[in-house]
Amino acid sequence: MSLHQPVLDGAQKAFLSCYLDNLSLVERLHRLLLDVIKDEFERLRVLEVNPVQALLLFNVGDNEVTAGELKSRGYYQGSNVSYNLRKLVDLGYMHHQRSEIDRRSVRVKLTEKGRVLRDQVSGLFRRHAEGLEKRGVIDVNGMDEINISLRRMERFWTEQIRYIY
């Protein structure tokens, strides 16, 4: 045993084990979500947009945003969002325009082509929500409990970043 590791009692070990399972599950769910989007796009023969870019279109929605705003909302890493926004602009899914207030800042919004793809992702998510409910996988109360727990973890992690380091 390391000198720096505290001795954990049974309840602490059980909690740590559950926490590590949660971390693993969140990571796997994110990868699965990307695979689900990839499969849907292959069926639709949408091959020029990857799943991360599709989620970006979905998250931008009807808004006009900057890369910094997407990053600050926690959706994307800085270099990732800039690269993917640039690709989506080049492919015609987004329109970009320099901010009149801050010329260094570029604002983006979906083009009609981008809105069509966003609607396809939205439809996929709607079908999944309906399927989860119809099959009795999870009801609205269970979904709400998951959201509450995940938001608590998100707040805790955000506090760790802001106040500990």
Side-chain angles (χ1 to χ4, degrees):
M1 174 157 335
S2 169
L3 295 175
H4 301 289
Q5 295 291 333
V7 176
L8 301 177
D9 66 24
Q12 291 168 320
K13 284 180 185 175
F15 188 86
L16 176 60
S17 178
C18 286
Y19 177 68
L20 295 175
D21 284 346
N22 280 299
L23 295 179
S24 179
L25 184 57
V26 166
E27 188 177 5
R28 282 195 321 269
L29 285 171
H30 179 69
R31 282 195 308 268
L32 278 170
L33 173 61
L34 295 177
D35 286 344
V36 164
I37 294 170
K38 180 178 178 279
D39 286 351
E40 178 73 0
F41 277 19
E42 286 173 356
R43 276 190 285 282
L44 296 171
R45 294 190 180 11
V46 176
L47 305 176
E48 64 186 1
V49 175
N50 69 39
V52 170
Q53 292 163 346
L55 277 176
L56 196 140
L57 292 171
F58 178 79
N59 287 322
V60 168
D62 292 324
N63 302 308
E64 184 174 298
V65 297
T66 65
E69 289 169 338
L70 288 169
K71 186 179 175 221
S72 69
R73 291 181 196 169
Y75 293 133
Y76 305 94
Q77 300 291 331
S79 60
N80 252 357
V81 73
S82 297
Y83 168 80
N84 284 310
L85 287 175
R86 195 167 35 255
K87 285 290 285 185
L88 290 167
V89 167
D90 291 346
L91 293 168
Y93 291 95
M94 294 192 123
H95 173 72
H96 74 287
Q97 180 177 354
R98 289 238 174 255
S99 170
E100 293 183 19
I101 298 168
D102 179 358
R103 301 301 292 168
R104 298 169 297 172
S105 179
V106 175
R107 300 195 67 75
V108 295
K109 64 181 179 180
L110 303 186
T111 62
E112 180 60 31
K113 184 178 177 181
R115 285 190 294 276
V116 167
L117 207 58
R118 185 255 345 253
D119 291 346
Q120 290 172 326
V121 174
S122 184
L124 173 67
F125 292 165
R126 187 174 40 259
R127 289 191 310 275
H128 286 173
E130 290 168 0
L132 285 166
E133 192 173 30
K134 282 181 185 173
R135 292 182 186 171
V137 174
I138 192 164
D139 64 10
V140 70
N141 292 327
M143 197 65 77
D144 194 43
E145 287 176 28
I146 290 169
N147 289 337
I148 289 167
S149 296
L150 289 173
R151 283 191 186 101
R152 287 178 182 159
M153 286 180 66
E154 179 185 34
R155 273 194 306 274
F156 176 79
W157 286 349
T158 301
E159 290 169 2
Q160 299 308 296
I161 294 166
R162 289 189 182 149
Y163 304 115
I164 300 293
Y165 301 106

